[in-house]
Amino acid sequence: KPHTAGCEIKYTIELQDIIQDLFAQEGRGLPKVCIMLEGGESSIDCALNAVRNKNSLLIVRGTGRAAEILCYALDHAKSYERVVGSEIKTVWELGESESRTI
């Protein structure tokens, strides 16, 4: 059976939820952060899921593909609140040489 890009994301999110629930049962919080470097269609789905669930989302500009599409959309939005809500705090921008070293 051929590998389908991004098929693991659903299971990764489920595992993260299980781990987060275990910490919550012990009375300890565990933040969840989605970090987007480059990425494809499934990465956009993952970012959307993070925002909908009020998790942190870090998009690294300068890494290409899906990350660039989302940065472009945020740069050109009249209001961040209309795009993803009021939770956007900071955008970290990498130059071309820095993004190649990640």
Side-chain angles (χ1 to χ4, degrees):
K1 182 176 178 179
H3 176 73
T4 304
C7 65
E8 73 285 354
I9 290 176
K10 173 186 170 195
Y11 302 107
T12 302
I13 291 170
E14 288 177 12
L15 178 60
Q16 291 169 348
D17 289 341
I18 290 168
I19 293 169
Q20 201 170 33
D21 288 345
L22 290 173
F23 273 76
Q25 289 173 6
E26 295 175 1
R28 302 183 311 180
L30 182 67
K32 192 188 304 183
V33 179
C34 176
I35 302 173
M36 180 182 284
L37 289 97
E38 191 196 40
E41 277 183 54
S42 57
S43 296
I44 293 174
D45 290 338
C46 187
L48 179 60
N49 182 62
V51 171
R52 282 184 176 159
N53 290 308
K54 307 259 187 247
N55 296 319
S56 297
L57 171 62
L58 172 64
I59 305 169
V60 184
R61 184 188 305 264
T63 57
R65 299 182 57 203
E68 297 307 309
I69 292 168
L70 290 181
C71 286
Y72 179 88
L74 292 170
D75 287 346
H76 292 85
K78 299 280 185 216
S79 164
Y80 284 133
E81 289 80 13
R82 291 182 61 200
V83 178
V84 295
S86 60
E87 298 301 315
I88 295 178
K89 306 284 189 240
T90 305
V91 175
W92 176 35
E93 186 167 352
L94 293 180
E96 187 175 338
S97 62
E98 292 95 346
S99 66
R100 292 184 191 279
T101 61
I102 292 181

